[in-house]
Amino acid sequence: MAASPTNDAGLRVSLEVEIPSDVAYIERVVELIRHPCAELAYNAHQLALNVPVALSEAISNAILRANNEDPGKRVFVRADVDALRLVVDVQDEGEPFDIDDNIRDATDPDNIEREDGRGLFLMRALMDRVERFDANGAPAGNVVRLILTRA
Amino acid sequence: MAASPTNDAGLRVSLEVEIPSDVAYIERVVELIRHPCAELAYNAHQLALNVPVALSEAISNAILRANNEDPGKRVFVRADVDALRLVVDVQDEGEPFDIDDNIRDATDPDNIEREDGRGLFLMRALMDRVERFDANGAPAGNVVRLILTRA
Amino acid sequence: MSFTIKKEGEIVVVDVEGQLIVGNRQELKQKVLDELERGEKKFLIDFAQTGYIDSSGLGVLVSLSKKIREQGGELRLANLNDDLKTLFELTKLDTLFQISDTRDRALASF
Amino acid sequence: MSFTIKKEGEIVVVDVEGQLIVGNRQELKQKVLDELERGEKKFLIDFAQTGYIDSSGLGVLVSLSKKIREQGGELRLANLNDDLKTLFELTKLDTLFQISDTRDRALASF
Ligand SMILES: Nc1ncnc2c1ncn2[C@@H]1O[C@H](COP(=O)(O)OP(=O)(O)O)[C@@H](O)[C@H]1O
Ligand SMILES: Nc1ncnc2c1ncn2[C@@H]1O[C@H](COP(=O)(O)OP(=O)(O)O)[C@@H](O)[C@H]1O
């Protein structure tokens, strides 16, 4: 169902998804968050590129880098979507990491043939802002926040 | 994208939607809540009948019966969905009403040609449980809770 | 959501595309009443392309059926899928309406 | 999500249906490496039916391209939609791969 733009202004959606540390869940979490963005008439490129790719990167880092696929650890994804912007928090149960220490230019000739290391680069390229802070409250962990203004 | 049943067990989705008291929003709220149920592989009849109809009834009562379409009043819809069940709370800003006082048999010959009065009847027929309680905290209002076990 | 009206011989056929719910039922009501006022007597509503119907959608069908009968006309329904059939059975509205499985059968039944 | 492999003449053509992401990239890698081991040299990956690709999907393409080159073979890509093109441009991977607009053009380019 297409969103009717005249009614967007009043609609505000919050979504929380909790998953085990298993990459098999990523695609569905992406779908769950993309859907309200589609209802709110986010632009086709944001729906097909920015949102799914950046989200998939943040969730897979939480599962693989922070939680080390530990089946006892979980990933919490919270999204707030309205007609202005999408804010997604991806929370893991891992050790703190320094996001500013991880600014690698994936397009540098030295890096271009690397298999890994494009995750944060893509999040930064595809979102308006990418931040990291400590989860407040149990369980401890990182929160990676992605912010995208609706286009 | 179809849900993969092997992975359902770990997935838990909470959704909150806030809308103005305008029936034009109902269809989109229904869609927003139906989508995670579809991701969690709820059965086709629940997705096409039970969920949308019961939800649409509860939201339209909140808008029309409780909030009287007052543009200053809002409706809050919270849904928790997992592989076991869907719980939806529809909260209005209206005066308390007695849900047990509103048990009209819509199929009674005296009622069958009435234009209205099938809302609560359908919610009860299509959900496993329908409850009403006072919203706790501001704003005051009714919460109508719908519970459906996944089939 | 939209309602498409066309004439098949002397029968007014309405296709309900999408939902029939509180947000759009007045539009359906008005369209059918306009035809009734123009002197039309035979009405078929086809639900082949319908999603879900809520209680106020059902209410509009009930009240249209009454108004049409009062003018000596007839309202018939066609193409309810399994879920819509269940809805009509739950509310016993399947006893109030004449419902056909296909549009052709409904058209032939007048 | 699935990967379909077929031969067109002496070219191994892989269709990526759905996403190419961390959850399934190993499957693509293994399928292509199996063909490489069997002695195949010319590979075309067709993205006409692809949704999105994440960094680990891109990583697999980079590493496959290296492995194929090491065996004296060639990997080409076809049918990137606008959003996938943007993804390759952002990462400058459009400079690393030979990319054709259509499958036929890609097949003819070997
Ligand atoms: N949620 C996280 N928890 C711990 N470390 C992280 C997290 N996200 C990213 N990192 C660190 O930042 C590095 C760079 O991440 P990224 O750019 O996504 O590339 P990749 O994951 O392919 O190495 C990771 O290798 C890891 O050391
Ligand atoms: N959220 C609500 N706030 C106040 N009254 C309500 C609410 N929901 C239901 N009611 C009361 O219950 C009655 C029956 O509701 P329902 O069965 O949905 O039929 P209808 O809305 O068509 O009258 C309503 O007319 C109204 O008086």
Side-chain angles (χ1 to χ4, degrees):
Chain A
M1 186 190 55
S4 94
T6 51
N7 279 334
D8 287 344
L11 198 61
R12 195 176 306 277
V13 182
S14 307
L15 192 113
E16 280 185 45
V17 192
E18 189 191 320
I19 54 165
S21 295
D22 179 341
V23 295
Y25 285 88
I26 295 176
E27 200 175 342
R28 279 198 287 169
V29 178
V30 166
E31 226 37 66
L32 284 164
I33 291 173
R34 178 153 62 169
H35 182 258
C37 298
E39 285 289 328
L40 276 155
Y42 280 51
N43 131 341
H45 299 298
Q46 294 189 321
L47 296 174
L49 175 65
N50 307 63
V51 171
V53 175
L55 212 53
S56 165
E57 300 301 338
I59 301 170
S60 75
N61 278 348
I63 293 171
L64 301 172
R65 306 301 174 208
N67 291 359
N68 296 311
E69 295 183 275
D70 179 341
K73 293 185 174 166
R74 302 182 70 80
V75 175
F76 306 88
V77 183
R78 274 179 303 275
D80 284 297
V81 198
D82 64 22
L84 290 178
R85 58 182 201 164
L86 165 70
V87 180
V88 187
D89 286 355
V90 177
Q91 182 178 333
D92 59 48
E93 299 191 42
E95 295 301 315
F97 79 101
D98 186 353
I99 202 168
D100 300 316
D101 205 35
N102 281 286
I103 309 201
R104 180 188 289 145
D105 182 356
T107 66
D108 192 284
D110 291 346
N111 297 327
I112 190 97
E113 296 218 45
R114 289 182 61 116
E115 185 163 356
D116 61 353
R118 288 181 186 85
L120 281 166
F121 175 84
L122 280 175
M123 284 185 247
R124 292 186 175 109
L126 296 171
M127 293 282 123
D128 294 320
R129 268 169 72 185
V130 181
E131 301 165 359
R132 190 218 75 92
F133 49 89
D134 294 328
N136 92 43
N142 303 285
V143 178
V144 172
R145 173 169 290 177
L146 308 174
I147 301 179
L148 179 69
T149 302
R150 185 178 81 163
Chain B
M1 185 189 59
S4 93
T6 52
N7 279 334
D8 288 342
L11 197 62
R12 193 176 306 277
V13 182
S14 306
L15 192 113
E16 279 185 44
V17 193
E18 189 191 320
I19 54 165
S21 295
D22 178 342
V23 295
Y25 286 87
I26 295 176
E27 199 174 343
R28 278 197 286 170
V29 179
V30 166
E31 227 39 65
L32 285 164
I33 290 174
R34 178 153 63 169
H35 183 259
C37 298
E39 285 290 327
L40 277 155
Y42 278 53
N43 128 344
H45 299 300
Q46 293 188 323
L47 296 174
L49 176 65
N50 306 62
V51 171
V53 175
L55 212 54
S56 164
E57 300 301 339
I59 301 169
S60 76
N61 279 347
I63 293 171
L64 300 173
R65 307 301 174 207
N67 291 359
N68 295 310
E69 297 182 275
D70 178 342
K73 293 185 173 167
R74 302 182 71 81
V75 175
F76 306 87
V77 183
R78 277 179 301 275
D80 284 297
V81 198
D82 64 21
L84 290 178
R85 58 184 201 162
L86 165 71
V87 180
V88 186
D89 286 355
V90 177
Q91 182 178 334
D92 59 48
E93 299 192 43
E95 295 301 314
F97 79 102
D98 185 353
I99 202 169
D100 300 316
D101 205 34
N102 281 287
I103 309 200
R104 181 191 288 146
D105 182 355
T107 68
D108 191 285
D110 290 346
N111 298 327
I112 189 98
E113 296 216 44
R114 287 183 61 116
E115 183 163 355
D116 61 352
R118 288 182 187 84
L120 281 166
F121 175 84
L122 280 175
M123 285 184 244
R124 291 185 176 109
L126 296 171
M127 292 282 122
D128 294 321
R129 267 167 75 185
V130 180
E131 300 166 359
R132 191 219 74 93
F133 48 88
D134 294 327
N136 92 43
N142 303 284
V143 177
V144 172
R145 173 169 291 177
L146 308 175
I147 302 179
L148 179 68
T149 303
R150 184 178 81 162
Chain C
M1 298 185 291
S2 70
F3 307 107
T4 312
I5 296 207
K6 50 176 168 269
K7 281 291 285 282
E8 298 257 0
E10 53 175 0
I11 302 163
V12 176
V13 182
V14 185
D15 284 295
V16 176
E17 285 143 35
Q19 308 352 310
L20 173 58
I21 52 181
V22 60
N24 68 354
R25 61 173 168 162
Q26 283 303 339
E27 191 187 330
L28 175 67
K29 192 170 187 174
Q30 201 50 57
K31 284 195 166 167
V32 172
L33 291 182
D34 288 350
E35 298 296 326
L36 192 63
E37 234 169 63
R38 235 175 254 137
E40 300 295 344
K41 297 275 183 239
K42 299 182 177 173
F43 292 85
L44 167 61
I45 305 186
D46 188 325
F47 295 98
Q49 299 170 69
T50 308
Y52 55 94
I53 302 180
D54 72 5
S55 67
S56 68
L58 294 173
V60 156
L61 298 176
V62 169
S63 93
L64 282 175
S65 132
K66 237 191 289 185
K67 291 226 166 66
I68 292 169
R69 254 182 288 133
E70 284 164 11
Q71 305 292 317
E74 282 178 275
L75 170 63
R76 296 187 179 171
L77 312 181
N79 274 320
L80 298 173
N81 66 29
D82 283 354
D83 294 308
L84 293 175
K85 261 184 214 148
T86 304
L87 188 70
F88 277 74
E89 287 162 11
L90 283 174
T91 51
K92 296 228 171 97
L93 290 177
D94 59 332
T95 64
L96 200 71
F97 290 101
Q98 193 170 324
I99 301 172
S100 300
D101 278 347
T102 67
R103 187 180 186 116
D104 284 346
R105 239 175 265 166
L107 289 170
S109 77
F110 277 93
Chain D
M1 299 186 290
S2 70
F3 306 107
T4 312
I5 296 207
K6 50 175 169 275
K7 281 290 285 279
E8 297 257 1
E10 52 175 1
I11 302 163
V12 176
V13 182
V14 186
D15 283 295
V16 176
E17 286 144 34
Q19 306 356 306
L20 173 59
I21 52 180
V22 59
N24 68 355
R25 61 172 169 164
Q26 282 304 340
E27 191 187 329
L28 175 67
K29 192 170 188 173
Q30 201 49 58
K31 283 194 168 166
V32 172
L33 291 182
D34 288 350
E35 298 296 325
L36 191 63
E37 234 169 63
R38 236 175 254 136
E40 298 295 344
K41 297 273 182 244
K42 298 181 177 174
F43 293 86
L44 167 61
I45 305 186
D46 188 324
F47 295 98
Q49 298 170 70
T50 308
Y52 56 95
I53 302 180
D54 71 5
S55 68
S56 68
L58 293 174
V60 156
L61 297 177
V62 169
S63 95
L64 282 176
S65 132
K66 238 191 292 185
K67 290 225 165 69
I68 292 170
R69 254 182 289 134
E70 283 164 12
Q71 304 291 318
E74 282 178 89
L75 170 63
R76 297 189 178 172
L77 312 181
N79 273 319
L80 298 173
N81 66 30
D82 283 352
D83 294 308
L84 292 176
K85 259 182 216 149
T86 304
L87 187 70
F88 277 75
E89 286 163 12
L90 282 174
T91 50
K92 298 226 172 103
L93 289 177
D94 58 333
T95 63
L96 200 71
F97 291 101
Q98 193 170 325
I99 301 172
S100 300
D101 277 348
T102 68
R103 187 180 186 117
D104 284 347
R105 238 175 266 165
L107 289 170
S109 77
F110 278 93

